């Protein structure tokens, strides 16, 4: 508990506030990356603003929102110096020559349009997941980024934390033998997501498989180093509504997939898991992998900085031995990849988002990031979300009507 409280305190008040680097008169130093944020989203503070406090090469320079009061209130609360608002606020932010990179936390349906517009404006983009509503849109986003020579990253922040990488290293080592099955769950209790939340809006790309399900799908693909070969079953739990559009919104999604080498994967995502009394279940956030020679389970794979546990059970000679690991920084992860910088990376209070920001800045600065989410990885994740929706009988989310301007 003491270490938890200490980590929590340091997240919001880093031990030392670094001076933001700048170009000196002799040309030395490194110009800081200036970020602009599209939308005054609730995710922006933990995902970017707080991590930027402890990064010496990042400045949160501007924010744009449709509503003037909301934009100004958000900027004041988060000490952001420049504000854009109104019908043209987003585009004015993109046109600001001082801004190097854009953080796009807009609703899913708007990811494609405003990421494309940001790339057209010559900005690097860190975009929230899921990247878009369709895999084809993701392809177009990467095609444009590559054409422009810009960095584009889907914000699967948990992938940058050493905890999930430690689990993958255990599986890849062969210690537990061949993977037989993998089960990933991400389920929030009823009431955690309001009934009017954008996650329940089909027109905005809502649905459990899009929101929490994109994590669980990504996790099984990452840990097995493979893509599914088929969707065996997909069972949606719809919103209770007579509205035809809302019947296509999955409040929850339970899917079973087949992966190479006879691996069976199950994913469960729920935006409003019913409360139970015996036992009390607040949330489910875990991934469990069963192998021929044992099992490994990571509880809280999404936000391990706050608290997590890696439980490894090995079977040998008719007996089972169990160990528990905690991994908050790469020095604790036992990763032998020959990268001395990576092994020294991080602090126990770094959020997954802080590790992600480190990688994003490294990429922009021409350095090699500790890990990365590649183009084909992001495309495949949306492809299989679409296939899950197809199997469930409710169809993909509506694609954007934004068209790239012709040259």
């Amino acid at each position: 508990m003491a270490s938890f409280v200490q980590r929590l305190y340091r997240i919001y008040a880093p031990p030392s506030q670094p001076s933001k680097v700048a170009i000196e008169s002799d040309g030395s130093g490194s110009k800081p990356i200036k970020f602009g944020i599209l939308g005054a989203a609730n995710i922006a503070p933990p995902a970017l603003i707080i991590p930027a406090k402890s990064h010496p090469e990042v400045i949160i320079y501007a924010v744009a929102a449709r509503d003037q009061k909301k934009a100004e209130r958000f900027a004041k609360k988060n000490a952001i110096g420049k504000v854009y608002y109104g019908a043209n606020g987003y585009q004015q932010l993109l046109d600001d020559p001082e801004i190097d990179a854009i953080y796009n936390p807009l609703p899913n349906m708007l990811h494609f349009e405003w990421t494309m517009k940001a790339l057209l404006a010559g900005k690097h983009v860190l975009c929230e997941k899921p990247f878009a509503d369709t895999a084809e849109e993701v392809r177009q986003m990467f095609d444009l980024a590559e054409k422009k020579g810009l960095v584009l990253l889907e914000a699967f922040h948990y992938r940058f934390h050493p905890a999930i990488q430690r689990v993958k290293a255990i599986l890849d080592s062969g210690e537990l033998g061949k993977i037989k099955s993998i089960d990933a769950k991400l389920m929030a209790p009823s009431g955690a997501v309001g009934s009017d939340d954008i996650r329940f809006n089909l027109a905005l790309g809502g649905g459990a498989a899009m929101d929490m399900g994109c994590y669980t799908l990504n996790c099984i693909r990452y840990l097995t180093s493979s893509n599914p070969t088929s969707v065996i079953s997909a069972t949606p739990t719809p919103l209770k509504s007579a509205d035809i559009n809302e019947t296509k919104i999955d409040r929850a999604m339970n899917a079973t997939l087949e992966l190479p080498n006879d691996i069976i994967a199950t994913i469960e995502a729920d935006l409003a898991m019913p409360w139970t009394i015996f036992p009390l279940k607040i949330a489910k956030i875990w991934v469990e992998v069963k192998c021929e020679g044992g099992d490994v389970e990571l509880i809280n794979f999404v936000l391990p900085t706050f608290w997590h546990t890696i439980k490894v059970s090995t079977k040998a000679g008719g007996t089972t031995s169990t160990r528990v690991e905690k991994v908050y920084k790469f020095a604790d992860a036992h990763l032998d990849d020959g990268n001395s910088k990576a092994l020294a990376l991080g602090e126990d209070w770094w959020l997954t988002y802080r590790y992600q920001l480190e990688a994003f800045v490294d990429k922009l600065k021409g350095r090699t990031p500790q890990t990365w989410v590649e183009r084909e990885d992001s495309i495949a994740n949306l492809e299989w979300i679409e296939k899950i929706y197809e199997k469930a009988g409710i169809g993909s989310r509506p694609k954007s009507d934004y068209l790239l301007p012709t040259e």
Side-chain angles (χ1 to χ4, degrees):
M1 179 59 70
S3 61
F4 166 76
V5 172
Q6 185 179 55
R7 284 196 306 275
L8 191 64
Y9 174 76
R10 286 181 173 176
I11 286 170
Y12 296 97
S16 61
Q17 294 285 346
S19 299
K20 302 301 180 179
V21 294
I23 299 296
E24 303 296 337
S25 58
D26 62 359
S28 63
S30 174
K31 182 182 177 183
I33 303 297
K34 293 182 179 179
F35 273 85
I37 301 174
L38 290 173
N42 291 334
I43 188 62
L48 180 63
I49 296 170
I50 292 171
K53 289 181 179 180
S54 62
H55 201 302
E57 295 176 293
V58 174
I59 292 173
I60 308 303
Y61 179 79
V63 63
R66 301 293 193 190
D67 181 84
Q68 178 179 353
K69 290 183 179 179
K70 185 176 182 180
E72 292 176 341
R73 186 165 56 246
F74 185 90
K76 181 179 180 180
K77 181 178 180 180
N78 295 288
I80 299 173
K82 200 160 190 177
V83 180
Y84 294 99
Y85 52 83
N88 297 319
Y90 291 170
Q91 189 61 52
Q92 289 173 347
L93 181 141
L94 298 183
D95 292 337
D96 190 326
E98 288 293 316
I99 295 175
D100 305 295
I102 298 297
Y103 173 56
N104 183 354
L106 296 170
N108 299 338
M109 171 58 82
L110 299 177
H111 285 178
F112 175 70
E113 176 181 353
W114 287 101
T115 293
M116 295 293 275
K117 288 180 176 179
L119 294 170
L120 286 171
K123 314 299 185 185
H124 306 285
V125 182
L126 173 63
C127 182
E128 276 303 332
K129 72 269 133 221
F131 233 164
D133 281 357
T134 70
E136 178 54 35
E137 290 173 337
V138 180
R139 288 189 185 91
Q140 292 182 47
M141 291 158 73
F142 276 106
D143 286 347
L144 182 57
E146 291 166 7
K147 180 180 178 180
K148 294 284 188 179
L150 297 166
V151 174
L152 175 62
L153 176 65
E154 185 175 19
F156 273 115
H157 55 95
Y158 84 99
R159 289 269 294 270
F160 296 84
H161 196 277
I164 193 70
Q165 293 190 37
R166 173 57 182 157
V167 172
K168 183 167 175 57
I170 291 170
L171 293 168
D172 290 349
S173 73
E175 173 188 354
L176 302 178
K178 179 182 177 294
I179 296 174
K180 297 191 299 182
S181 67
I182 180 168
D183 176 33
K185 290 179 171 62
L186 185 49
M187 307 166 75
S190 179
V193 178
S195 60
D196 59 346
D197 193 275
I198 59 173
R199 294 169 180 84
F200 293 135
N201 189 324
L202 179 66
L204 294 178
M210 288 288 283
D211 189 75
M212 293 185 172
C214 75
Y215 279 102
T216 56
L217 178 62
N218 189 272
C219 186
I220 65 169
R221 293 178 50 253
Y222 173 65
L223 292 181
T224 62
S225 301
S226 63
N227 287 319
T229 56
S230 68
V231 181
I232 298 172
S233 66
T235 306
T237 301
L239 285 176
K240 294 180 179 179
S241 173
D243 187 318
I244 186 63
N245 287 328
E246 292 190 0
T247 62
K248 292 185 178 182
I249 285 289
D250 48 315
R251 189 217 78 197
M253 180 68 77
N254 187 321
T256 302
L257 305 101
E258 185 175 12
L259 282 72
N261 301 314
D262 300 319
I263 299 172
I264 298 298
T266 57
I267 61 172
E268 292 183 71
D270 198 333
L271 295 168
M273 180 179 67
W275 288 87
T276 61
I277 303 299
F278 302 107
L280 178 62
K281 297 178 182 178
I282 298 177
K284 293 183 180 180
I285 313 173
W286 76 70
V287 57
E288 182 179 25
V289 188
K290 293 186 178 297
C291 305
E292 290 180 339
D295 309 326
V296 58
E297 178 186 63
L298 171 56
I299 297 177
N300 197 9
F301 71 94
V302 174
L303 293 171
T305 303
F306 294 101
W307 178 86
H308 72 272
T309 182
I310 301 171
K311 181 180 178 182
V312 184
S313 300
T314 56
K315 305 170 186 176
T319 61
T320 300
S321 60
T322 301
R323 71 177 187 271
V324 174
E325 299 184 15
K326 304 275 189 179
V327 180
Y328 291 100
K329 53 189 178 182
F330 279 96
D332 305 326
H334 311 293
L335 301 178
D336 186 16
D337 60 0
N339 187 339
S340 58
K341 176 187 175 183
L343 295 177
L345 181 64
E347 302 289 347
D348 61 1
W349 48 269
W350 274 22
L351 290 167
T352 51
Y353 302 105
R354 178 60 178 82
Y355 282 104
Q356 175 180 261
L357 183 60
E358 188 80 8
F360 189 74
V361 171
D362 279 348
K363 197 78 166 180
L364 265 62
K365 293 290 185 179
R367 304 187 290 256
T368 301
Q370 190 276 331
T371 195
W372 197 250
V373 180
E374 302 288 351
R375 168 194 173 112
E376 294 306 321
D377 195 339
S378 292
I379 293 173
N381 219 61
L382 255 297
E383 285 179 334
W384 285 97
I385 288 175
E386 288 192 276
K387 289 178 181 181
I388 288 170
Y389 275 129
E390 180 182 3
K391 188 71 173 183
I394 55 178
S396 300
R397 311 298 86 176
K399 68 178 183 179
S400 173
D401 59 5
Y402 173 74
L403 296 176
L404 187 67
T406 56
E407 296 182 345

